[in-house]
């Protein structure tokens, strides 16, 4: 299950981080969840970037546990924006060798998106899994690729999303430097065009929400 929580404009990034990590630790302790992981925005994204980062604060809390038990303690949390049952896949994964509670090395691109309206669901999944995923793994220096298909909302209040993806790079420059994220100078423009066209083939490009984020394993 993935829970989405949004911060307010009046809330500082530090205050948002503190209350999200406090909530995640409470879930791990009080609800005895099997696994708890947080991906959240810690700072403002760069003013200029090839990736159109959203400037709002958001946290994605992944929980492996009895969902109803956890929902009872989180649905009234300030900024709660929905809990979703997901099917997770890790086409490429890091080997975790740091302690729980410590920030995951590197940086994360957290992306929320919806299915393209002009295609059916089968086509959406096929293009996402069999075209976009291998293209991303081929072009980008990804250290960890966490792909979550949203199977449905499990909370009464929930935003509408079809995909929640976490793409991790080993360093900040691997993600933010276009010559590292999209390839060598002669290939960067063709690669960017290929990614753009492929992305638009399966998701609703106008409603996509990409965030510059960091990850914390609270209980692994």
């Amino acid at each position: 299950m993935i829970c989405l929580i949004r911060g307010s404009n009046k809330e500082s990034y530090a205050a948002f981080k503190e209350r999200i990590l406090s909530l995640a630790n409470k879930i791990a302790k009080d609800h005895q969840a099997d696994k708890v992981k947080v991906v959240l925005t810690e700072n403002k994204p760069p003013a200029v970037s090839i990736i159109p980062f959203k400037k709002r604060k958001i946290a994605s809390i992944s929980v492996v546990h009895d969902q109803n038990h956890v929902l009872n303690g989180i649905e009234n949390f300030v900024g709660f924006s929905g809990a979703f049952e997901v099917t997770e896949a890790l086409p490429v994964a890091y080997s975790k060798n740091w302690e729980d509670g410590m920030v995951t090395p590197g940086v994360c691109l957290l992306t929320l998106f919806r299915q393209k309206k002009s295609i059916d669901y089968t086509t959406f999944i096929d293009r996402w899994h069999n075209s976009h995923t291998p293209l991303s793994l081929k072009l980008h220096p990804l250290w960890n690729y966490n792909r979550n298909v949203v199977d449905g909302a499990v909370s009464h209040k929930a935003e509408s999303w079809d995909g929640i993806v976490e793409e991790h790079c080993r360093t900040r420059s691997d993600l933010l430097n276009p010559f590292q994220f999209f390839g060598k100078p002669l290939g960067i423009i063709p690669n960017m065009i290929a990614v753009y066209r492929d992305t638009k083939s399966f998701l609703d490009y106008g409603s996509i929400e990409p965030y510059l984020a960091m990850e914390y394993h609270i209980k692994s």
Side-chain angles (χ1 to χ4, degrees):
M1 180 179 70
I2 290 180
C3 300
L4 296 179
I5 299 172
R6 295 187 181 273
S8 69
N9 292 331
K10 296 180 179 179
E11 187 175 27
S12 69
Y13 279 93
F16 179 65
K17 175 183 175 180
E18 182 179 359
R19 75 181 181 95
I20 293 299
L21 293 182
S22 177
L23 172 63
N25 277 284
K26 182 177 176 61
I27 292 173
K29 180 179 179 182
D30 294 356
H31 298 284
Q32 298 181 338
D34 298 320
K35 293 182 180 180
V36 180
K37 185 188 72 176
V38 173
V39 173
L40 81 165
T41 50
E42 284 194 346
N43 299 286
K44 289 183 179 180
V48 178
S49 174
I50 200 167
I51 300 172
F53 293 115
K54 296 296 182 182
K55 296 179 173 59
R56 290 177 287 173
K57 304 174 190 74
I58 192 170
S60 169
I61 303 179
S62 301
V63 182
V64 177
H65 192 51
D66 176 69
Q67 63 190 31
N68 293 324
H69 192 194
V70 174
L71 281 174
N72 291 334
I74 195 174
E75 279 194 286
N76 294 323
F77 194 75
V78 176
F80 178 80
S81 299
F84 309 89
E85 189 70 29
V86 300
T87 298
E88 180 188 50
L90 290 163
V92 63
Y94 51 54
S95 179
K96 181 176 177 292
N97 58 7
W98 55 95
E99 295 182 4
D100 286 350
M102 294 179 62
V103 64
T104 298
V107 68
C108 175
L109 170 59
L110 170 66
T111 307
L112 315 179
F113 57 87
R114 301 184 179 98
Q115 173 186 334
K116 186 174 183 177
K117 296 176 183 178
S118 61
I119 61 175
D120 60 30
Y121 189 74
T122 300
T123 302
F124 165 67
I125 293 295
D126 179 63
R127 290 180 180 176
W128 177 11
H129 291 193
N130 299 318
S131 178
H132 189 72
T133 296
L135 181 64
S136 295
L137 297 178
K138 176 184 177 181
L139 298 182
H140 304 318
L142 300 179
W143 185 39
N144 193 76
Y145 185 100
N146 189 311
R147 186 181 67 201
N148 295 282
V149 176
V150 176
D151 298 319
V154 293
S155 58
H156 296 294
K157 172 186 175 183
E159 297 175 350
S160 175
W161 298 108
D162 296 306
I164 302 174
V165 172
E166 302 159 13
E167 295 171 279
H168 296 260
C169 294
R170 287 183 175 84
T171 67
R172 188 178 176 88
S173 61
D174 275 348
L175 176 62
L176 300 182
N177 185 333
F179 293 103
Q180 291 177 226
F181 194 63
F182 284 100
K184 298 178 180 180
L186 292 179
I188 186 172
I189 298 301
N191 289 346
M192 288 174 60
I193 293 173
V195 170
Y196 174 73
R197 287 177 173 171
D198 188 79
T199 299
K200 288 199 70 176
S201 75
F202 74 98
L203 57 76
D204 180 28
Y205 201 81
S207 62
I208 189 172
E209 292 192 12
Y211 295 92
L212 180 62
M214 301 300 290
E215 179 187 74
Y216 294 84
H217 286 271
I218 305 302
K219 183 178 180 182
S220 60

